Amino acid sequence: VSSEIKFNYDIADIAECESYLLEEMKFYLVVYHPYQVLIDINEQIKLRKASLQAAWSIINDSFRTDLILVYPPHVIALASLFLSRVVDQGELSELEAQQWFADLNVDVTDILQVVNEMVALYSTWKSYAENKMPDMVSRFISELDAAV
């Protein structure tokens, strides 16, 4: 490709065209991120730095799952706070933390489902070993063949 080729369009023009194309296809997907909810909660309860960083990291990890598409951002943010209590107990005592979560107008089962998904993700990461993958894939294929 010659470096002398000049295009009349820049990235903003391409993004605009993509937007029109998606709109024409009746495609609508807006994903709201849980970070702002976490920041808002932090302004209210003043988390320790370690607790806030742990919750932020948990939110980052949640993007490796489909949780962001299944649950609203406030549920993911609250689940990350719940899990961050394992890392850092924070200023609130255990009883105060339980009361704070109980006072929320949020379905606790959703929070616990997100927590369980994240714990499952972390346990998968812990047990993952790349050198074992060929054997696992072969075993999985064998099980599929046996089921059919």
Side-chain angles (χ1 to χ4, degrees):
V1 176
S2 173
S3 61
E4 296 176 14
I5 299 174
K6 300 291 182 194
F7 295 101
N8 296 329
Y9 304 103
D10 62 2
I11 293 173
D13 294 326
I14 294 171
E16 183 179 358
C17 288
E18 285 178 351
S19 177
Y20 292 137
L21 179 63
L22 291 171
E23 184 180 324
E24 227 16 74
M25 294 170 40
K26 305 292 188 242
F27 181 85
Y28 183 74
L29 176 66
V30 177
V31 176
Y32 295 99
H33 300 272
Y35 299 111
Q36 187 60 48
V37 177
L38 182 63
I39 291 168
D40 294 343
I41 291 171
N42 185 45
E43 289 175 2
Q44 294 175 1
I45 63 174
K46 305 292 186 225
L47 297 166
R48 286 186 186 162
K49 186 176 181 179
S51 190
L52 181 61
Q53 286 177 334
W56 197 277
S57 295
I58 292 166
I59 289 174
N60 288 343
D61 294 342
S62 74
F63 282 95
R64 295 176 182 240
T65 69
D66 64 348
L67 292 173
I68 196 72
L69 300 173
V70 177
Y71 294 97
H74 68 277
V75 172
I76 296 171
L78 290 170
S80 72
L81 281 174
F82 187 89
L83 282 169
S84 73
R85 297 258 322 149
V86 174
V87 175
D88 179 43
Q89 293 300 312
E91 298 293 325
L92 298 175
S93 69
E94 190 66 31
L95 186 60
E96 290 172 326
Q98 288 175 0
Q99 186 59 47
W100 186 82
F101 274 103
D103 290 343
L104 295 173
N105 189 19
V106 177
D107 188 5
V108 178
T109 56
D110 285 345
I111 294 173
L112 293 177
Q113 286 175 338
V114 172
V115 167
N116 287 335
E117 288 282 332
M118 292 307 298
V119 168
L121 175 69
Y122 293 137
S123 66
T124 301
W125 285 355
K126 185 178 179 182
S127 64
Y128 177 77
E130 189 170 345
N131 59 348
K132 295 180 182 177
M133 290 310 296
D135 293 335
M136 291 174 68
V137 170
S138 297
R139 191 170 54 237
F140 178 70
I141 291 172
S142 299
E143 290 173 6
L144 282 177
D145 289 341
V148 175

